[in-house]
Amino acid sequence: MTAVAILLASFASILAVFLTGLPVFVAFMLLNIAGVWFYFSGPGFGMLTNSMYETLSSPTLVALPMFILMGEILFRSGVTDILYRALDVLLGRSRLRLYYLSILLSTTFGALSGAAMAVVAMMGRTLYPGMLARGYDRRLTAGTIMAGASLAPIIPPSVLAVIIASLANISVAGLLIAGVLPGLMLAALFLIYVVSAVAIDPDRAPTVADGRQSVTWGQRARAVLLTLPFGLVILSVLGVILAGIVTPEESAATGVLGALLVSVVFGKLSMRTLFEAVAVSARTTAIVLLIMMSSKMFGQLLAFSGATQSLIDTVSGLDIDPWLMLAILMAIPFVICMFLDSIAVMLILVPIYIPIVGHFQYDVIWFWALFLINITVGGITPPFGYTIFAFKSAVPDLPMREIYAAAWPYVGVFLVGMLLVVLFPALATYLPKLV
Amino acid sequence: MFGLVASLLDRLVTVLGWIGAFLIGLIPAIYCYEVAARYFFSAPTTWSYESGGYLLCLGTLLCAPVVTREHGHVAIVFVAETLPMASRRRLESAIGLAAAAVCLAVAATTADEVSSQIARNVQTTAAFAIPKWWLTAALPYALAASGLYFIRDAILTRAAPSA
């Protein structure tokens, strides 16, 4: 069997096993057993243990549970409600006010939590019903919330960025910071899209500014004061990395400390909240890391089979334009993420992509930042985006076809954003060069 | 007998799951301590960096069976969801048994490797080295307990009355 045939067979096998409904980590293990048996027979199984141990004890991945814990503390303690009310006061009386609030909130929550599903579930339950009651367009509202929440894995702290950096063996700090400007740019693009959509069809926003009373300067000042502690949380993650004071793993720890301090300052932290946050974070970590530990051997087997080298030889023999190759490399996860879990897709594709990225001499931070955005879009790409499902669970009355229709325009906005990052690489590479 | 074993397994998994969560919760405390020790006392530790990895490894594995018990693992189930209920139950039961077989097989191989590590006194390759089996011993536990839960689910799915 040629190496390329092995690669295709492996890829087809893993997809087929996934589709049976076998848990993803078990699916990888099954193929690992088959692969080890095929190449090494019995004595090779010791490698399986060591491969799993290496992943689980990787100091790079230590940031992952801490970023999850940070978001859990903030959301479970309820301090995010304070931020919500403060930003609401600061936004004035525009008739698009709640659209702005939705985008601003999701961007801020993105900087406080690394997981889109938590943000979309919370905003779906809190913001969406209020916006609908005030006459905002339900598709535009749903789309704004889903797309805004999808900024969470792009703007640091980001669980996905830690995973990609760890798999691709690049700087975790670099990839985390690389998400800042693209994330903010995407938030700006969402604003532009909302304003344009309402300009084209004015019925998509209420005719008056939802009847709210005018806000006094005293209320505004108080609202600004209320937002300041959240700046401390963002500073305790982003600021300390940018300043070069701590490693990314340590910044995750200082982020947890910042989240705890903010919850204490607002009098919202209880031991029960803390226990629940730690327990949920540990379980979420176990879910992600079990998949990662099982998939590592899959990549190692591919390399051992010669499939990876053969892929490089094949690709280098194609004499293909690097831009076209980039488009192909981005199109593959974009399509697959419509149907499969984004982490599973990453674990299959990253080991295959690493040598190709090296061969075409793409800037690694730029390429993997694009990949990160691409994988994130998968969360809102119908029919099987996880962010879509999380929103549906928060808003069960909204039909799925409406949610799909709400998501598509924002998928388009994301693609425009990715194109801008392709055309202006400094968007992703400028800040990491400062670290 | 089956009920007693299931109950004991549940208790063990719950207790070890809490210990696992505690270990994960210790990680930020250790890293914050390291930052404080480095900047405020000019006394960086030699153990914090690697101990974070060790705690992550143990914590994850001790929590893994809890996730299995709560059906928390990621799976691509949209094909199964298109099937009629009876066929879906059969598929889920078969998938549960397959998952159990894989987990128990890998648990057995990891147990072999752990006993070999104990016999050879293998240490972790780090500045702050510890016997490797202190960590890897949790692998057979996590996989075997998960395997048992997959078997239990497969049996319960098969036995459940049709809708």
Side-chain angles (χ1 to χ4, degrees):
Chain A
M1 195 187 278
T2 67
V4 171
I6 290 172
L7 189 70
L8 290 174
S10 307
F11 200 66
S13 310
I14 194 75
L15 287 181
V17 178
F18 280 167
L19 292 177
T20 61
L22 206 62
V24 170
F25 87 96
V26 180
F28 274 119
M29 276 186 188
L30 180 61
L31 290 189
N32 289 341
I33 292 174
V36 170
W37 192 263
F38 183 75
Y39 285 112
F40 308 105
S41 190
F45 282 110
M47 290 166 56
L48 200 56
T49 308
N50 288 317
S51 164
M52 291 192 281
Y53 161 76
E54 276 170 27
T55 306
L56 291 178
S57 61
S58 160
T60 312
L61 290 173
V62 163
L64 197 141
M66 293 192 277
F67 281 152
I68 298 171
L69 178 59
M70 184 183 147
E72 285 292 331
I73 290 170
L74 290 171
F75 284 112
R76 284 179 183 274
S77 66
V79 290
T80 44
D81 295 342
I82 295 167
L83 180 65
Y84 168 36
R85 288 197 293 273
L87 291 177
D88 190 20
V89 168
L90 291 174
L91 276 173
R93 300 184 65 194
S94 159
R95 60 189 283 255
L96 300 181
R97 187 176 64 86
L98 289 183
Y99 285 135
Y100 298 154
L101 178 66
S102 169
I103 293 166
L104 189 58
L105 263 181
S106 50
T107 310
T108 317
F109 285 159
L112 296 173
S113 158
M117 284 166 72
V119 177
V120 82
M122 194 202 69
M123 290 182 56
R125 278 194 291 270
T126 54
L127 195 61
Y128 179 81
M131 287 180 72
L132 231 57
R134 288 172 171 85
Y136 286 83
D137 179 78
R138 66 176 175 175
R139 275 192 194 176
L140 201 53
T141 302
T144 308
I145 290 173
M146 286 189 288
S150 301
L151 296 176
I154 300 171
I155 300 173
S158 164
V159 171
L160 286 187
V162 173
I163 295 174
I164 291 175
S166 155
L167 291 171
N169 206 16
I170 61 168
S171 158
V172 176
L175 193 59
L176 280 170
I177 298 293
V180 175
L181 292 180
L184 295 177
M185 177 198 68
L186 283 164
L189 289 177
F190 296 155
L191 282 173
I192 293 169
Y193 171 72
V194 166
V195 172
S196 311
V198 175
I200 292 166
D201 181 2
D203 290 342
R204 302 189 83 177
T207 48
V208 290
D210 57 68
R212 71 173 294 160
Q213 302 295 312
S214 61
V215 177
T216 64
W217 282 105
Q219 286 171 316
R220 284 201 184 98
R222 187 170 180 274
V224 169
L225 276 178
L226 286 173
T227 60
L228 289 181
F230 294 95
L232 171 78
V233 180
I234 295 170
L235 201 69
S236 66
V237 177
L238 264 179
V240 289
I241 296 183
L242 276 170
I245 297 172
V246 298
T247 63
E249 297 81 34
E250 289 167 349
S251 80
T254 52
V256 171
L257 185 64
L260 285 171
L261 285 177
V262 169
S263 306
V264 169
V265 164
F266 287 115
K268 296 275 190 180
L269 190 68
S270 65
M271 288 311 283
R272 185 190 171 88
T273 304
L274 188 58
F275 282 141
E276 284 176 357
V278 171
V280 171
S281 305
R283 265 175 264 165
T284 310
T285 303
I287 292 169
V288 176
L289 285 191
L290 277 187
I291 299 175
M292 290 189 73
M293 77 167 194
S294 320
S295 72
K296 181 164 182 171
M297 190 80 202
F298 182 71
Q300 289 170 332
L301 284 169
L302 280 182
F304 183 82
S305 71
T308 311
Q309 185 57 45
S310 173
L311 181 71
I312 301 167
D313 296 343
T314 307
V315 169
S316 51
L318 285 176
D319 193 25
I320 196 169
D321 182 78
W323 295 108
L324 179 60
M325 193 65 213
L326 180 71
I328 294 169
L329 292 176
M330 290 297 144
I332 292 169
F334 180 81
V335 173
I336 299 178
C337 277
M338 289 180 181
F339 305 98
L340 293 185
D341 172 63
S342 54
I343 292 178
V345 172
M346 282 189 318
L347 295 171
I348 298 172
L349 291 183
V350 173
I352 297 171
Y353 276 18
I354 290 171
I356 302 176
V357 172
H359 174 75
F360 283 94
Q361 298 182 333
Y362 297 129
D363 181 295
V364 286
I365 292 290
W366 171 74
F367 180 87
W368 293 114
L370 269 173
F371 187 82
L372 169 66
I373 301 171
N374 196 350
I375 287 284
T376 303
V377 185
I380 60 163
T381 312
F384 296 110
Y386 272 76
T387 311
I388 288 177
F389 291 144
F391 185 73
K392 173 69 179 168
S393 68
V395 187
D397 295 339
L398 190 64
M400 212 59 192
R401 65 176 182 285
E402 287 278 326
I403 298 179
Y404 288 163
W408 277 120
Y410 287 91
V411 173
V413 176
F414 262 108
L415 291 177
V416 171
M418 284 179 65
L419 187 63
L420 288 173
V421 177
V422 170
L423 295 175
F424 306 103
L427 280 167
T429 58
Y430 175 70
L431 286 181
K433 281 178 182 160
L434 299 179
V435 179
Chain B
M1 183 63 187
F2 181 79
L4 178 68
V5 172
S7 165
L8 283 175
L9 177 68
D10 273 341
R11 282 183 202 178
L12 178 72
V13 164
T14 301
V15 171
L16 291 181
W18 278 110
I19 293 173
F22 173 74
L23 296 180
I24 298 270
L26 267 185
I27 298 173
I30 286 174
Y31 277 70
C32 284
Y33 175 78
E34 164 63 26
V35 174
R38 193 165 68 229
Y39 286 108
F40 299 126
F41 306 110
S42 300
T45 66
T46 52
W47 48 267
S48 66
Y49 185 68
E50 279 127 8
S51 58
Y54 298 160
L55 291 173
L56 182 68
C57 179
L58 261 184
T60 301
L61 291 171
L62 295 182
C63 289
V66 179
V67 176
T68 311
R69 183 174 63 190
E70 295 172 357
H71 308 111
H73 292 298
V74 176
I76 315 294
V77 293
F78 64 84
V79 173
E81 283 175 351
T82 60
L83 297 173
M85 187 51 82
S87 308
R88 186 176 163 180
R89 285 243 172 91
R90 278 196 292 275
L91 176 67
E92 284 174 352
S93 182
I95 289 297
L97 290 174
V102 171
C103 283
L104 292 174
V106 180
T109 65
T110 54
D112 259 3
E113 181 62 19
V114 171
S115 61
S116 158
Q117 287 172 355
I118 294 170
R120 291 180 288 132
N121 192 26
V122 178
Q123 303 280 305
T124 55
T125 47
F128 175 54
I130 57 171
K132 200 170 183 180
W133 71 267
W134 288 5
L135 306 171
T136 52
L139 266 169
Y141 158 72
L143 294 166
S146 291
L148 293 176
Y149 278 125
F150 281 127
I151 290 176
R152 184 168 86 174
D153 286 345
I155 292 168
L156 291 178
T157 305
R158 190 170 282 246
S162 295

